[in-house]
Amino acid sequence: MEQTNETAAARQVEITARGGQADIEIDGTRIDPSTVKAYSVSHLAGEQPDVLLHVTDRGDTQWSGTARVAVADVPDPGPAAAIFLEAIDPEGLERAVLARPDIGSEPYSLTQAMLTQLGEWARGL
């Protein structure tokens, strides 16, 4: 794909999602689902919506056409993890971990239970 300026014509995009599958069409042309591993849609009031397709890394896949291109960078999880961990009450963590039914007596089971508990809390469980 080649990058164009902000005045490029908007494309008609249709996404039909069912469970873990999605059919994607751009200007009526169906996109092979094996070439897209993820997509995201964002829309700010007063602006054109953006659709970002995350393509799979396949040597035989070719894309052509005009698009507004955005390159996504994987964010560093460190700062968010630090904020999360700073908010943890050590006494509450200890109480929650010692009450877990999956804590064992094998080496490092307490550490494993703490990491499991923190992971559950991070996911809102």
Side-chain angles (χ1 to χ4, degrees), residues 93-103 117:
L93 174 61
E94 186 172 310
R95 242 183 289 115
V97 168
L98 292 175
R100 292 182 66 89
D102 60 345
I103 190 169
Q117 184 67 50

Coordinates of all heavy atoms in Angstrom, one line a residue, residues 93-103 117:
L93 N -3.2 -8.7 48.9 CA -2.7 -9.7 48.0 C -2.4 -10.9 48.8 O -2.7 -12.0 48.4 CB -1.4 -9.1 47.3 CG -0.7 -10.1 46.4 CD1 -1.5 -10.7 45.3 CD2 0.6 -9.5 45.9
E94 N -1.7 -10.8 49.9 CA -1.4 -12.0 50.7 C -2.6 -12.7 51.2 O -2.7 -13.9 51.1 CB -0.6 -11.5 52.0 CG 0.0 -12.7 52.8 CD 0.9 -12.2 53.9 OE1 1.8 -11.5 53.6 OE2 0.7 -12.7 55.0
R95 N -3.6 -12.0 51.6 CA -4.9 -12.6 52.0 C -5.5 -13.4 50.9 O -6.0 -14.5 51.0 CB -5.9 -11.6 52.6 CG -6.3 -11.8 54.0 CD -7.3 -10.8 54.5 NE -6.7 -9.5 54.7 CZ -7.1 -8.4 54.0 NH1 -8.0 -8.4 53.1 NH2 -6.5 -7.2 54.1
A96 N -5.6 -12.8 49.7 CA -6.2 -13.4 48.5 C -5.4 -14.6 48.1 O -6.0 -15.6 47.8 CB -6.3 -12.4 47.4
V97 N -4.1 -14.5 48.1 CA -3.3 -15.7 47.7 C -3.4 -16.9 48.6 O -3.5 -18.0 48.2 CB -1.8 -15.2 47.5 CG1 -0.9 -16.4 47.3 CG2 -1.8 -14.3 46.3
L98 N -3.3 -16.6 49.9 CA -3.4 -17.7 50.9 C -4.8 -18.3 50.9 O -4.9 -19.5 51.3 CB -3.0 -17.2 52.3 CG -1.5 -16.7 52.5 CD1 -1.3 -16.2 53.8 CD2 -0.6 -17.9 52.2
A99 N -5.8 -17.7 50.4 CA -7.1 -18.2 50.4 C -7.4 -19.0 49.1 O -8.4 -19.6 48.9 CB -8.2 -17.1 50.5
R100 N -6.5 -19.0 48.1 CA -6.6 -19.6 46.8 C -6.6 -21.1 47.0 O -5.8 -21.7 47.7 CB -5.5 -19.2 45.9 CG -5.6 -17.8 45.4 CD -4.5 -17.5 44.4 NE -4.7 -18.3 43.2 CZ -5.4 -17.8 42.1 NH1 -6.0 -16.6 42.2 NH2 -5.6 -18.5 41.1
P101 N -7.6 -21.8 46.3 CA -7.6 -23.3 46.4 C -6.4 -23.9 45.6 O -6.1 -25.1 45.8 CB -8.9 -23.7 45.8 CG -9.3 -22.5 45.0 CD -8.7 -21.3 45.6
D102 N -5.8 -23.2 44.7 CA -4.8 -23.8 43.8 C -3.4 -23.6 44.4 O -2.4 -24.0 43.7 CB -4.9 -23.2 42.4 CG -4.7 -21.7 42.4 OD1 -4.8 -21.1 43.4 OD2 -4.5 -21.2 41.2
I103 N -3.2 -23.0 45.6 CA -1.9 -22.9 46.1 C -1.4 -24.2 46.6 O -2.2 -25.0 47.3 CB -1.8 -21.8 47.3 CG1 -0.4 -21.5 47.6 CG2 -2.6 -22.2 48.5 CD1 -0.2 -20.3 48.5
Q117 N -2.7 -14.5 40.8 CA -3.7 -13.6 41.4 C -3.6 -12.2 40.8 O -4.5 -11.6 40.4 CB -3.5 -13.5 42.9 CG -4.5 -12.6 43.6 CD -5.9 -13.2 43.6 OE1 -6.1 -14.4 43.9 NE2 -6.9 -12.4 43.2

